[in-house]
Amino acid sequence: MVNVDAYLDRIAYTGPCTPDATTLAALHRAHLLAVPFENLDIALGRPITLDLPSRYEKIVTRRRGGFCYELNGLFAWLLRELGYDVALLAAGVYGDDDQPDPNDDHLTLLVRCPGDPTPWLADVGFGEGFREPLRLDVADEQIRNGRAYRVEGEGQWRYWEQDREGAWKPRYWFTLTPRQYGDFAEMCRWQQTSPNSHFTQHRICSLATPQGRVTLADMQLIVTERGERHETPVADAAEYDRLLRERFGVDLSV
């Protein structure tokens, strides 16, 4: 059974639940600090389905993470239960070559607070993204957790960009056309079955920390703290499982 209080406990959120911009930012930040971005079920051959009970049982009851369709899909449910207006948006992620994916390979969220027309871009399912939502009606740079971002575009099209060493790098494009959750089912299947999917080629588990981020990328532990990055090889499967439990709270046996 899905339960708002249990979800809030999962993300260690104890603040107000008034559906305003301040609460939205606090929920967004708490989610990123508690629930990892991970694709571990794909390597284990466990199918990922998009129905609400499955997402809730995995993320809240078993205290796992997930990728965008799971994390943003469940976060959208929580926000609606708390009184927010939420639209699911389709996005295409830019690759390392700064070329956009033509497919709708990412799910992100447009959120409005009751009585307030301000549109917010929320995303707890991207991995290393913005800690707090970005305003969609502001073209100038927006600072979140010491980093600069901006959202550009016009009409139905938008581009989310991040300042990296003085240069604006696009992270994903998206449209403002609301989508149904079932619209993402086929791409979700592709991401976990296609040999061309990044998620079938690499294992990842990544979690924001107050001062940075910790990531298990295949057999490499990457810790970033206050801008300093350290990489350590993982010796074997036993150490990998131990790191999952100790660093991310993930136990693959449950």
Side-chain angles (χ1 to χ4, degrees), residues 104-179:
D104 299 342
D105 63 342
H106 183 64
L107 164 62
T108 190
L109 305 175
L110 186 157
V111 182
R112 288 186 173 91
C113 309
D116 184 350
T118 303
W120 295 91
L121 179 68
D123 195 335
V124 297
F126 189 73
E128 189 174 0
F130 39 89
R131 293 288 176 95
E132 298 175 359
L134 301 174
R135 289 186 61 163
L136 284 177
D137 59 348
V138 173
D140 297 332
E141 71 175 31
Q142 303 179 55
I143 306 300
R144 299 292 184 271
N145 200 47
R147 294 188 175 187
Y149 307 93
R150 67 185 183 186
V151 180
E152 294 201 326
E154 59 184 16
Q156 287 296 301
W157 293 90
R158 295 291 187 277
Y159 302 85
W160 163 48
E161 299 178 319
Q162 180 178 349
D163 183 2
R164 290 188 167 181
E165 298 179 351
W168 288 106
K169 297 292 185 181
R171 305 304 304 276
Y172 59 68
W173 61 263
F174 58 101
T175 76
L176 301 181
T177 303
R179 304 292 288 270

Side-chain angles (χ1 to χ4, degrees), residues 20-132:
D20 55 24
T22 300
T23 298
L24 175 62
L27 289 166
H28 196 278
R29 183 172 56 251
H31 205 291
L32 290 171
L33 290 169
V35 183
F37 176 86
E38 51 108 330
N39 67 336
L40 304 176
D41 277 352
I42 295 175
L44 295 170
R46 300 173 180 173
I48 296 170
T49 57
L50 300 186
D51 60 287
L52 176 59
S54 295
R55 284 176 284 144
Y56 181 91
E57 189 272 339
K58 178 181 179 181
I59 295 169
V60 177
T61 305
R62 292 194 285 126
R63 307 184 72 82
R64 289 282 307 281
F67 58 1
C68 68
Y69 313 111
E70 303 168 281
L71 299 177
N72 281 330
L74 192 60
F75 191 51
W77 171 82
L78 174 67
L79 294 178
R80 287 169 177 153
E81 289 293 304
L82 294 176
Y84 292 94
D85 178 38
V86 184
L88 310 182
L89 304 182
V93 178
Y94 282 77
D96 294 335
D97 57 358
D98 288 339
Q99 295 301 307
D101 193 307
N103 299 309
D104 299 342
D105 63 342
H106 183 64
L107 164 62
T108 190
L109 305 175
L110 186 157
V111 182
R112 288 186 173 91
C113 309
D116 184 350
T118 303
W120 295 91
L121 179 68
D123 195 335
V124 297
F126 189 73
E128 189 174 0
F130 39 89
R131 293 288 176 95
E132 298 175 359

